[in-house]
Amino acid sequence: CIRALDGTHIRASVSLCIQGRFRSRKGGTTQNVLAAIIFVLKISYVLAGWEGSAHDSRILSDALSRPRGLRILE
């Protein structure tokens, strides 16, 4: 194993006008956080701020497309 990748939901306080986007499937107001950890248990990448209703594949695509984003070794 070179790296582990996972996402989680963190509680978020957002204004009323955008709360709908941040509503998770369990009903809470959350933001999505994607993290990659290398084999020696050091964090190598974090992407936070996506709304709780965003799908994991959208967040991963965003992380891979950023100029200084997540890189997958060949």
Side-chain angles (χ1 to χ4, degrees), residues 9-50:
H9 287 262
I10 306 293
R11 283 188 56 198
S13 296
V14 295
S15 63
L16 288 173
C17 63
I18 61 170
Q19 273 190 0
R21 294 191 336 234
F22 285 80
R23 189 83 47 209
S24 71
R25 62 185 168 87
K26 293 185 179 179
T29 305
T30 64
Q31 69 175 327
N32 256 309
V33 178
L34 172 78
I37 301 167
I38 60 175
F39 187 64
V40 291
L41 301 179
K42 291 185 180 179
I43 296 171
S44 64
Y45 184 80
V46 173
L47 176 62
W50 272 89

